[in-house]
Amino acid sequence: MDIARAMLALTFLVWQALIFRSDYVLANRPVSSMSIRKPRSTRAGRVTMQEVADRAGVSAITVSRALRTPDKVAEAVRLRIAEVCRELGYVPNHAASALASARSQTIVVLIPSLSNVVFVDIITGIKDVLDEQGYHLLIGVTGYSPDAEEALLRKYLQHLPDGLILTGIDHNPGVWALLRAQAMPTVHTIETLPDSEGMSVGFSQFDSGYAAGRHLVERGYRRIGIVGAQLDPRSLRRCEGCRQALRDAGLHDPALEIMTPEKSSIALGATLLETLLAQHPDCDAVFFCNDDLAQGAVFQCGRLGVSVPGRMALVGFHDFAGTAWTTPPLSTISTPRYEIGREAAQLLMRHLAGQPIAQRHVDLGFTLVQRETS
């Protein structure tokens, strides 16, 4: 038995040496001595790894190794394979690679909107981390629809992602069922979950709204309005936080609220501010669930000759890039959007690497930024 094992080991070493010598000789052979085939564009079908191997004069295994672990392939061989890939327009089949390796190097991120800077900032933070780790980003846009989120999740799970990053904690039962059935590593963003549910990175929407309402109360305003748009669960929770602060101070008046499912925008903020003042001229302060609404209100106050903050105080939410440059500069709640994205991606990477995770739910907090509108 020992003799048989020794012979088998010797045979394997000889085979490895022959493959290495073959690859080395072929890699250094003049291109003119290589077999020349017609460009793939003249033949029907997808370019295969075997065709790349044939053109480069190496084995398909060597091509696979050069693409997946280039540091394990001789430089001359690697460069020749790269040149042939460019010539033939070869693109590796990551789906097949995922099946073979149980890793797709892809992370699916589902967000409500690509036009909302909140989610652009989060995506940027995620991408910066994934780029560092060699992962690809697959983005799905749900349009704030729970049903669309579930449909996209079902579709993207077919791509065999290594993990998911979702927006918020309000999902259809079907989404929760999918996550549990697939045992898919998932990080929820913008809010934090109870300890029993996966991983999450965010802040308290309710507490941040409460802080805005409390700020206006402490500044001496008494007829405080609340303006909400889009009315996704996060906007509703921050409005409820502000509402609770007014209740605690004995100042809440439901008549001073305007809540609309319309998409949040500067133009909408200007319109709603004018509507609120027309209906309730005694309103002396307003909390807006998004900065674009509040920016529109600042502009409209300037057009109407309404003194800010003398006649009207305004507070926004999120601290967008232009918020500090309105006239006067807008008070707001600053939220760590980029940091949420980075931390969510880092948390997922640690999980995929099998590293211990001390804190599965990370609250990054928020900051009340008082400027000149309050």
Side-chain angles (χ1 to χ4, degrees):
M1 181 65 71
D2 291 339
I3 295 175
R5 287 177 179 172
M7 291 298 293
L8 181 62
L10 179 60
T11 301
F12 176 76
L13 290 174
V14 171
W15 176 72
Q16 288 282 75
L18 288 173
I19 288 179
F20 177 80
R21 182 178 183 278
S22 174
D23 285 350
Y24 177 81
V25 171
L26 288 169
N28 290 275
R29 185 187 302 175
V31 175
S32 59
S33 68
M34 302 291 290
S35 61
I36 304 299
R37 295 171 175 244
K38 293 181 179 180
R40 181 65 187 183
S41 59
T42 65
R43 301 191 305 277
R46 179 188 176 97
V47 179
T48 67
M49 184 179 293
Q50 185 61 56
E51 289 177 278
V52 173
D54 291 345
R55 176 71 71 88
V58 297
S59 66
I61 293 176
T62 300
V63 174
S64 176
R65 188 180 299 123
L67 295 174
R68 293 176 56 81
T69 54
D71 57 310
K72 295 182 179 180
V73 178
E75 183 179 8
V77 176
R78 188 173 71 249
L79 292 176
R80 182 177 294 280
I81 291 171
E83 180 182 355
V84 171
C85 286
R86 284 193 296 271
E87 289 176 357
L88 298 181
Y90 175 71
V91 178
N93 187 336
H94 284 293
S97 298
L99 287 171
S101 66
R103 282 292 175 89
S104 66
Q105 296 299 110
T106 299
I107 302 299
V108 168
V109 181
L110 299 185
I111 58 173
S113 169
L114 273 175
S115 62
N116 189 328
V117 69
V118 171
F119 306 113
V120 174
D121 289 345
I122 290 174
I123 286 289
T124 302
I126 293 171
K127 184 178 183 300
D128 285 351
V129 172
L130 297 189
D131 285 349
E132 296 167 0
Q133 299 296 321
Y135 276 77
H136 308 290
L137 185 63
L138 184 58
I139 301 174
V141 180
T142 68
Y144 294 92
S145 167
D147 291 339
E149 179 185 54
E150 182 176 347
L152 281 171
L153 181 59
R154 290 184 183 278
K155 178 180 178 180
Y156 287 165
L157 283 174
Q158 298 175 25
H159 293 268
L160 304 177
D162 292 332
L164 304 171
I165 298 179
L166 304 181
T167 300
I169 59 177
D170 302 276
H171 310 294
N172 278 352
V175 168
W176 290 112
L178 280 171
L179 297 181
R180 292 168 184 139
Q182 299 291 323
M184 180 65 62
T186 304
V187 181
H188 303 262
T189 60
I190 296 193
E191 296 182 272
T192 54
L193 282 166
D195 288 341
S196 60
E197 298 283 353
M199 298 176 285
S200 59
V201 180
F203 61 94
S204 171
Q205 300 285 333
F206 180 91
D207 289 351
S208 53
Y210 190 97
R214 187 64 191 169
H215 167 70
L216 290 172
V217 170
E218 291 176 346
R219 296 292 293 169
Y221 299 99
R222 292 297 175 263
R223 297 288 291 163
I224 302 171
I226 300 174
V227 171
Q230 195 70 63
L231 305 188
D232 58 89
R234 294 165 298 281
S235 294
L236 291 174
R237 273 193 278 276
R238 70 184 70 129
C239 287
E240 177 58 26
C242 181
R243 190 178 294 122
Q244 188 59 51
L246 301 185
R247 289 195 193 104
D248 290 348
L251 298 175
H252 178 240
D253 183 352
L256 295 177
E257 292 189 17
I258 298 181
M259 308 295 285
T260 174
E262 292 183 59
K263 183 180 178 181
S264 182
S265 68
I266 290 175
L268 181 62
T271 299
L272 296 182
L273 182 281
E274 187 169 4
T275 298
L276 185 60
L277 282 179
Q279 295 176 352
H280 303 281
D282 61 340
C283 178
D284 61 2
V286 185
F287 166 68
F288 295 86
C289 74
N290 272 312
D291 264 2
D292 51 1
L293 295 171
Q295 290 172 3
V298 173
F299 300 147
Q300 191 70 338
C301 283
R303 292 182 61 192
L304 298 175
V306 176
S307 174
V308 178
R311 164 67 182 83
M312 169 72 65
L314 305 171
V315 174
F317 196 93
H318 277 314
D319 199 16
F320 292 163
T323 295
W325 299 99
T326 57
T327 304
L330 180 63
S331 297
T332 189
I333 298 292
S334 179
T335 57
R337 290 146 352 239
Y338 175 82
E339 291 77 9
I340 287 173
R342 278 198 66 90
E343 182 61 31
Q346 289 172 342
L347 191 59
L348 191 55
M349 292 296 100
R350 289 196 293 271
H351 179 90
L352 292 174
Q355 299 174 0
I357 299 176
Q359 190 175 1
R360 299 178 66 84
H361 304 283
V362 182
D363 189 337
L364 294 180
F366 58 88
T367 305
L368 173 66
V369 180
Q370 182 181 350
R371 297 193 178 103
E372 297 177 25
T373 62
S374 66

